[in-house]
């Protein structure tokens, strides 16, 4: 028997039992579709978060005041230290060669008002460099001007939500905005950012850092963001920043430096593991489908005993009979895998249509993997019935005993 | 036919195809076991997280400075032009339903004792911490009940800090240095472990007033309020609001009660459990297709048998019942098998991996079983109708 004959025979066997074959294909396709959709969801979530982090800027170093000695514990993300990171510290960092841009950040909350409208919101103090470091874009007007780090110029840039709430229909640019007891001229409106990780820029007012510190009567920076030109410069900059601050802080190493890589890496790992778990759970359904394939093939072997006997009597070898049944299983699971992949893609298209802001896409490898796993499942669970068929004694089989 | 006969009949046809029935049930067993295991993990995580949260007790309301609508880190925790003061805390303590208040200032500083140093978390708090946060002392006592404004320089160590700074020597009465100030150790807290990633053992507690000086801050970051168990949370919240608005002139603070947090957590975690249950159900769906397949095979195999039954007087509904009964029996067996397997695996996991929080979720167990019976009914109906509608004459002639 040639390969073609084997396949034709198998296909005919599949065709004679359309309902049964259809159900196996359905079961297999449910499993494959589930694996496809869940992998795509998990992977897209991972991609989304990683992109969000990368949108914060490339080669970013974050310098925080304070340091915990316990390794593994989380860094002092907020809280106070006896020795502050000051504006002078930040200014001194500019001497380091490996730094492309440096933005000091002070954060606080205060009531803001324009006209008769008032609300409380977060105020961020920073410099012109923030635009570059955080990859912000300005929709109207301009960002904070490039001026000395300690300039208290009374200007501010506001987020989208603030603009809508305080200046509803009026143009915001050029208006005065009162922040607590000081007045700032609105010179820019940020483009909508959506919820970026950490800070919602839409509900933020950005003022020059020195003005923010005066506003809050504080000398301490919340953190310093540093952009370095390359990966290798990032390592060097990290060491030099630590050294410089230690020197300025009378020999005390009291800052924490977080690299963006490490944060992204951690999230990447966590979300990757999550995707694997979810996929694994969905893959259990493939096993169930495999059991079904085995079951139905066993039934079909016992029903087709006479046929097998005849084949053998005509001189078919064990291997040929084995091949015949295996290719039937393979055909079924192949069809199931393809149908499942199509259903999965359909599901993803529907998801993409329903949630346009969350991009879902199935990586090609996952698609191929799901199809291959389905095929392998079918074959593995097809082996037992096929062997049973191959082992049948031709005389007994012909007499249907 | 009596129902006992029907049951016997169905049972016999299942037993006569042992391998086939076993494999069909196996499909369901895997599915049900998956649901059982996944929901147990979901429920376990649920309990674990809620347990972590309620360690501090449930009669807590936290007051934060600043009023922002966005969820997440309010800038007011770091700086604000309208700080919450220690006097605010003292004033809240005067409200009738309130048992105790703890102002909180958190920071990070170098702590020195003799030759040893450690950089760690400093919590500036009030004397009521053991009562409000439900942490007991190992030795000594907590910060003395000084007035808020002239606190004495006492410090209380977390258990890990004690080990790091004093080893096995007695720390009581010893002097430690935090920043530029000197403190006398008054007590050591019992080990509490990590709570939501925050290590309370690696902490030094000092009076809030001292912490404000140390960190050169104007206001506290948070005031935790413990209310009496007779009072209702809403009343207490209203009283706190009234008092603070009276003092500040406007509502420039945010209240978050432990109950609100718990409710939010609870609903999030329930969704989680439901989501994993749904994931497990995919294999149940596949398993049910298996029952459908096998039942339709059974009908086509036993056409003659059905014809004979009809010929000797069995009516349509009897045939229908027979086949439906077989499907239900098969799936119920699968359901029981799945429950047993799932429970066994969960118990084993609990024994061998104690770090993994698992807890059998009773309602989900029951649900899984009923789903399996339902699957039997749903997938048995079509083949059973097919069997019942067979023409007896043609069925007898089929072979």
């Amino acid at each position: 028997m040639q390969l073609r004959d084997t396949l034709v025979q198998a296909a005919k066997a599949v065709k004679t039992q359309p309902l049964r074959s259809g159900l196996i294909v359905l079961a297999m396709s449910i499993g494959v579709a589930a694996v496809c959709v869940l992998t795509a969801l998990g992977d897209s979530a991972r991609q989304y978060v990683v992109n969000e982090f990368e949108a914060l800027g490339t080669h970013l170093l974050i310098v925080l005041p304070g340091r915990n000695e316990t390794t593994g514990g989380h860094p002092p993300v907020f809280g106070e230290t006896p020795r502050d990171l000051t504006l002078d510290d930040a200014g001194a960092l500019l001497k380091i060669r490996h730094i492309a841009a440096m933005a000091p950040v002070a954060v606080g909350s205060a009531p803001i008002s324009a006209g008769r409208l008032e609300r409380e919101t977060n105020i961020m103090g920073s410099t012109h460099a923030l635009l570059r470091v955080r990859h912000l874009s300005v929709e109207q007007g301009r960002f904070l001007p490039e001026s000395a780090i300690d300039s208290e110029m009374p200007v501010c840039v506001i987020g989208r939500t603030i603009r809508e709430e305080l200046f509803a229909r009026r143009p915001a640019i050029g208006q005065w905005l009162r922040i607590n007891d000081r007045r700032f001229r609105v010179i820019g409106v940020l483009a909508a950012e959506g919820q970026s990780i950490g800070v919602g820029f839409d509900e933020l007012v950005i003022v020059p850092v020195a003005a923010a510190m005066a506003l809050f009567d504080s000398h301490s920076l919340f953190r310093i963001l540093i952009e370095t030109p390359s990966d290798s410069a990032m390592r060097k900059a990290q060491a030099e920043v630590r050294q410089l601050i230690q020197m300025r802080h009378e020999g005390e190493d009291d800052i924490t430096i977080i690299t963006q890589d490490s944060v992204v890496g951690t999230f990447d790992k966590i979300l990757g593991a999550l995707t694997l778990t979810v996929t694994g759970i969905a893959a259990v359904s493939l096993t169930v489908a495999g059991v079904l394939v085995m079951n139905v093939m066993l039934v079909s072997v016992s029903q087709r005993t006479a046929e097998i006997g005849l084949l053998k009597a005509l001189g078919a070898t064990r291997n040929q009979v084995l091949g015949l049944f295996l290719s039937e299983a393979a055909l079924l699971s192949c069809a199931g895998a393809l149908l499942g992949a199509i259903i999965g893609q359909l599901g993803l298209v529907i998801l993409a249509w329903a949630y346009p802001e969350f991009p879902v896409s199935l990586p090609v490898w996952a698609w191929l993997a799901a199809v291959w796993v389905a095929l392998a499942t079918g074959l593995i669970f097809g082996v037992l019935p096929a062997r049973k068929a191959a082992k049948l004694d031709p005389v007994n089989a012909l007499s249907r005993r | 036919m009596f129902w006992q006969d029907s049951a016997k009949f169905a049972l016999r046809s299942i037993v006569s195809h042992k391998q086939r029935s076993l494999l069909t049930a196996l499909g369901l067993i895997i599915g049900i076991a998956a649901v059982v295991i996944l929901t147990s993990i979901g429920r376990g995580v649920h309990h674990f997280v809620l347990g972590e949260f309620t360690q501090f007790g449930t009669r807590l309301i936290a007051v934060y400075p600043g009023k922002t609508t966005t969820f997440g880190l309010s800038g007011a925790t770091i700086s604000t032009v309208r700080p919450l003061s220690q006097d605010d805390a003292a004033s809240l303590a005067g409200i009738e339903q309130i048992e105790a208040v703890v102002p909180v200032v958190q920071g990070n500083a170098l702590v020195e004792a003799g030759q040893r140093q450690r950089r760690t978390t400093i919590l500036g708090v009030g004397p009521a911490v053991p009562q409000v946060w439900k942490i007991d002392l190992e030795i000594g006592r907590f910060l003395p009940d000084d007035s808020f404004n002239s606190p004495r320089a006492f410090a209380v160590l977390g258990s890990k800090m004690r080990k790091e700074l004093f080893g096995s020597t007695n720390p009581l009465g010893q002097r430690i240095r935090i920043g530029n100030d000197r403190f006398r150790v008054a007590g050591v807290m019992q080990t509490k472990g990590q709570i939501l990633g925050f290590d309370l053992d690696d902490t030094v507690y000092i009076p809030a007033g001292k912490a404000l000086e140390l960190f050169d801050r104007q206001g506290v970051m948070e005031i935790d309020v413990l209310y009496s168990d007779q009072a209702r949370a809403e009343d207490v919240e209203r009283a706190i609001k009234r008092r603070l608005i009276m003092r500040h002139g406007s509502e420039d603070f945010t209240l978050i009660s432990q109950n609100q947090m718990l409710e939010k957590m609870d609903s999030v975690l329930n969704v989680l459990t439901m989501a994993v249950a749904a994931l497990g159900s995919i294999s149940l769906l596949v398993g049910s297709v298996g029952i459908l397949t096998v039942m339709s095979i059974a009908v086509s195999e036993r056409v003659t048998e059905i014809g004979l039954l009809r010929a000797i007087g069995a009516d349509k509904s009897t045939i229908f019942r027979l086949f439906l009964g077989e499907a239900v029996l098969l799936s119920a067996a699968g359901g029981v098998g799945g429950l047993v397997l799932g429970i066994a695996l969960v118990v084993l996991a609990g024994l061998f991996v104690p770090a993994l929080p698992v807890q059998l979720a009773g309602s989900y167990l029951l649900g899984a079983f009923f789903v399996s019976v339902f699957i039997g009914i749903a997938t048995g109906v079509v083949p059973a109708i097919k069997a019942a509608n067979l023409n007896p004459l043609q069925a007898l002639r089929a072979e």
Side-chain angles (χ1 to χ4, degrees), chain A residues 67-68 80 109 120 252 295, chain B residues 67 79 107-108 119 217:
Chain A
R67 184 161 70 88
N68 270 3
E80 297 282 338
S109 131
E120 172 117 4
E252 272 199 60
N295 201 3
Chain B
K67 182 103 196 155
S79 323
N108 177 279
R119 203 162 262 296
R217 263 190 80 96

Side-chain angles (χ1 to χ4, degrees), chain B residues 36-336:
Chain B
V36 169
I37 292 168
L38 289 173
T39 51
S40 299
I41 292 174
R43 185 56 64 91
V45 169
H46 189 149
H47 263 248
F48 176 76
V49 173
L50 286 194
E52 290 271 283
F53 264 90
T54 46
Q55 279 191 53
F56 290 132
T58 49
R59 288 182 285 130
L60 277 184
I61 295 175
V63 187
Y64 297 97
K67 182 103 196 155
T68 41
T69 45
T70 21
F71 209 61
L73 185 64
S74 162
T77 313
I78 300 147
S79 323
T80 176
V81 293
R82 296 163 159 183
L84 280 176
S85 67
Q86 291 215 77
D87 293 338
D88 289 330
S91 165
L92 288 182
I95 296 176
E96 197 183 338
Q97 302 106 314
I98 289 178
E99 284 185 358
V101 298
V102 173
V104 184
V105 180
Q106 190 219 322
N108 177 279
L110 185 70
V111 182
E112 292 171 78
Q115 297 301 310
R116 303 200 194 192
Q117 304 188 334
R118 186 166 181 82
R119 203 162 262 296
T120 193
T121 306
I122 309 292
L123 281 177
V125 291
V129 162
Q131 186 189 356
V132 176
W133 290 357
K134 300 207 164 126
I135 313 181
D136 288 331
L137 281 145
E138 179 87 50
I139 48 173
R141 52 203 185 89
F142 202 73
L143 302 174
D145 208 352
D146 285 332
S147 79
F148 276 119
N149 294 321
S150 58
R152 282 173 292 162
F154 279 111
V156 175
L157 305 178
S159 61
K160 185 167 181 185
M161 276 310 289
R162 177 218 179 150
K163 228 176 292 150
E164 294 288 338
L165 292 181
F166 293 101
S168 51
T169 58
N170 182 7
L172 292 188
Q174 300 286 326
R175 284 184 179 283
I176 58 172
R177 215 179 147 84
I178 303 174
N180 293 319
D181 300 340
R182 278 142 67 85
F183 291 83
R184 191 182 287 279
V185 176
V188 176
M189 304 304 273
Q190 275 180 5
T191 306
K192 187 91 174 173
Q194 297 234 336
I195 293 175
L196 303 168
F198 189 80
D199 193 352
L200 275 180
D201 297 336
D202 197 4
T203 299
V204 178
Y205 303 83
I206 60 173
K210 287 284 178 192
L212 288 177
E213 283 170 29
L214 180 68
F215 300 128
D216 190 18
R217 263 190 80 96
Q218 301 153 1
V220 300
M221 293 173 168
E222 175 184 340
I223 298 175
D224 286 343
V225 172
L226 176 76
Y227 56 87
S228 81
D229 46 7
Q230 273 100 38
R232 295 194 322 141
E234 302 84 60
D235 295 341
V236 179
E237 274 183 43
R238 221 171 296 132
I240 293 174
K241 268 189 192 161
R242 228 181 2 246
R243 178 69 59 99
L244 284 181
I245 289 174
M246 197 182 75
R247 292 177 58 85
H248 291 202
S250 67
E251 189 174 333
D252 56 356
F253 53 88
T254 308
L255 299 187
I256 296 182
S257 76
Q258 189 79 348
N259 282 332
Q260 276 167 4
M261 291 253 289
L262 284 178
E263 271 164 32
K264 201 161 255 163
M265 290 303 282
D266 202 50
S267 59
V268 168
L269 291 165
N270 274 331
V271 170
L272 182 88
T273 309
M274 248 141 68
V276 289
L279 277 181
S281 313
I282 298 171
S283 18
L284 269 184
L285 188 63
V286 177
S288 60
V289 175
I291 292 195
L292 183 60
T293 316
V294 167
M295 285 314 293
S296 50
I297 290 175
V299 172
S300 66
E301 262 184 357
R302 284 153 58 191
V303 171
T304 12
E305 186 187 330
I306 295 166
L308 190 63
L309 276 172
R310 293 294 305 273
I312 59 176
D315 57 4
K316 280 190 175 189
S317 70
T318 312
I319 304 285
F320 178 78
R321 267 215 314 275
L322 279 182
F323 278 84
L324 190 61
E326 198 177 321
V328 171
L329 213 58
L330 206 54
S331 57
V336 172

